[in-house]
């Protein structure tokens, strides 16, 4: 329900949504309405302002649960969040937002490429939320141990923010209207491996794991296929996982040092 700016705007990056597991669990309809009605409002303003291009920042959550035997999810994967599960409010909201944007794009009234981000690791990542990478960074800053709450087997991939920014602006300026592009690293790493890399980078911090893996079950996965972004837009990942971890730790330690000086 934001007020429309009075000046014309040539380009819009619509990335407004609360990536909050707590809100998604406690008030799923608030989460859903915020995403859907917020997108409706942005689209209304973009058309009124005669915006040249609007980037819809969606989410890899639109694919729903990744099959365990699928190495990575491409934009052609037709999986979707289960609409009967209230915990899928975020993913369902992003699906509807994409539909709204694709409908406007198909009418030729606005150029709207769509970005589907996955997981990220870098400065300003919250250290006290549901992000495993952020929680591990907090453990390192406290001197350890790094605590894995589960069994450490789920696979994720992590993109550094400088790559994220480059990818989003490239999709905004060069992406095809009504077309989706995965945004993230395709370097799959288990939660246990991520913890080990952080421990090694930090200097031999201990890692503890709360549960033992079940050998009868395949690990869950949330990893993008980024071939479309590579082939159509010439994008690639510049910062690998170890670099991302090292840069993140340096940033947080510098931030902590500045806070100590201020106190």
């Amino acid at each position: 329900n934001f007020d429309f700016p009075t000046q014309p705007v040539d380009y819009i990056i619509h990335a407004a949504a609360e990536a909050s597991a707590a809100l998604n669990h406690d008030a799923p309809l608030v989460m859903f309405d915020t995403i859907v009605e917020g997108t409706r409002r942005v689209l209304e303003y973009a058309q009124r302002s005669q915006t040249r291009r609007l980037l819809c920042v969606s989410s890899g959550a639109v694919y729903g649960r990744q099959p365990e035997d699928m190495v990575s999810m491409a934009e052609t994967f037709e999986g979707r969040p289960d609409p009967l599960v209230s915990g899928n409010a975020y993913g369902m909201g992003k699906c509807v937002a994409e539909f709204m944007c694709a409908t406007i794009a198909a009418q030729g009234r606005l150029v709207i490429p769509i970005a589907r981000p996955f997981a990220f690791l870098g400065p300003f990542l919250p250290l006290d939320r549901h992000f495993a990478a952020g929680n591990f960074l907090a453990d390192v800053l406290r001197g350890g141990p790094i605590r894995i709450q589960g069994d450490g087997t789920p696979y994720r991939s992590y993109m550094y923010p400088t790559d994220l920014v480059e990818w989003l602006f490239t999709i905004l300026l060069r992406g095809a209207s009504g077309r989706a592009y995965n945004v993230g690293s395709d370097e799959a790493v288990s939660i246990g491996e991520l913890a080990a890399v952080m421990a090694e980078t930090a200097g031999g911090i201990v890692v503890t794991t709360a549960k033992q893996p079940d050998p009868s079950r395949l690990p869950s996965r949330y990893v993008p296929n980024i071939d479309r972004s590579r082939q159509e837009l010439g994008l690639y990942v510049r910062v690998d996982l170890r670099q991302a971890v090292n840069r993140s730790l340096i940033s947080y330690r510098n931030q902590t040092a500045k806070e100590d000086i201020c106190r």
Side-chain angles (χ1 to χ4, degrees):
N1 61 358
F2 66 93
D3 293 331
F4 289 160
T6 56
Q7 72 275 23
V9 175
D10 294 324
Y11 300 95
I12 294 175
I13 297 177
H14 172 40
E18 181 72 16
S20 166
L23 179 62
N24 195 64
H25 178 270
D26 298 337
L29 290 180
V30 173
M31 171 69 82
F32 181 85
D33 286 343
T34 300
I35 295 171
V36 174
E37 297 306 320
T39 300
R40 191 190 310 278
R41 186 73 172 158
V42 170
L43 288 170
E44 182 183 349
Y45 170 66
Q47 293 175 88
R48 183 178 300 185
S49 185
Q50 298 183 325
T51 297
R52 298 160 90 183
R53 279 179 168 263
L54 184 153
L55 175 63
C56 171
V57 181
S58 180
S59 170
V62 299
Y63 296 115
R65 185 179 180 84
Q66 180 174 340
E68 284 82 357
D69 59 350
M70 179 182 287
V71 175
S72 60
M73 292 185 289
E75 294 86 349
T76 53
F77 176 54
E78 296 183 350
R80 288 292 178 267
D82 186 345
L84 301 182
V85 177
S86 63
N88 288 335
Y90 180 82
M92 289 299 300
K94 290 293 189 179
C95 285
V96 175
E98 283 196 14
F99 170 76
M100 295 165 66
C101 289
T103 300
I104 297 297
Q107 295 171 354
R109 296 155 63 185
L110 188 61
V111 177
I112 313 178
I114 297 166
R116 290 175 177 167
F118 277 69
F120 302 90
L121 168 61
F124 306 108
L125 179 70
L127 303 182
D128 58 353
R129 304 282 182 85
H130 61 286
F131 307 112
N135 294 334
F136 292 169
L137 285 170
D139 289 340
V140 169
L141 294 173
R142 285 191 291 263
I146 296 176
R147 295 163 295 182
I148 300 174
Q149 301 299 332
D151 61 11
T153 61
Y155 279 88
R156 301 292 184 265
S157 64
Y158 298 92
M159 175 178 268
Y160 194 69
T162 52
D163 284 330
L164 168 63
V165 171
E166 180 183 1
W167 282 47
L168 291 182
F169 272 100
T170 300
I171 297 170
L172 167 67
L173 298 173
R174 294 173 45 205
S177 189
R179 190 161 176 79
Y181 299 88
N182 285 340
V183 177
S185 169
D186 60 350
E187 181 186 357
V189 57
S190 73
I191 297 297
E193 290 167 342
L194 173 64
V197 169
M198 286 202 180
E200 179 185 345
T201 304
I205 288 179
V206 174
V207 177
T208 64
T209 306
K211 300 178 182 178
Q212 292 299 313
D214 182 349
S216 67
R217 299 182 60 183
L218 290 174
S220 68
R221 303 182 70 88
Y222 184 61
V223 180
N225 180 303
I226 54 176
D227 288 347
R228 177 179 291 180
S229 297
R230 281 198 185 103
Q231 295 165 6
E232 295 185 12
L233 302 176
L235 290 165
Y236 60 95
V237 177
R238 300 177 186 271
V239 182
D240 65 22
L241 176 65
R242 289 184 179 274
Q243 290 175 311
V245 169
N246 186 53
R247 292 184 186 185
S248 300
L249 287 173
I250 291 173
S251 175
Y252 278 105
R253 282 170 172 163
N254 288 340
Q255 180 180 337
T256 301
K258 290 178 181 178
E259 291 173 353
D260 289 342
I261 292 173
C262 291
R263 285 196 292 267

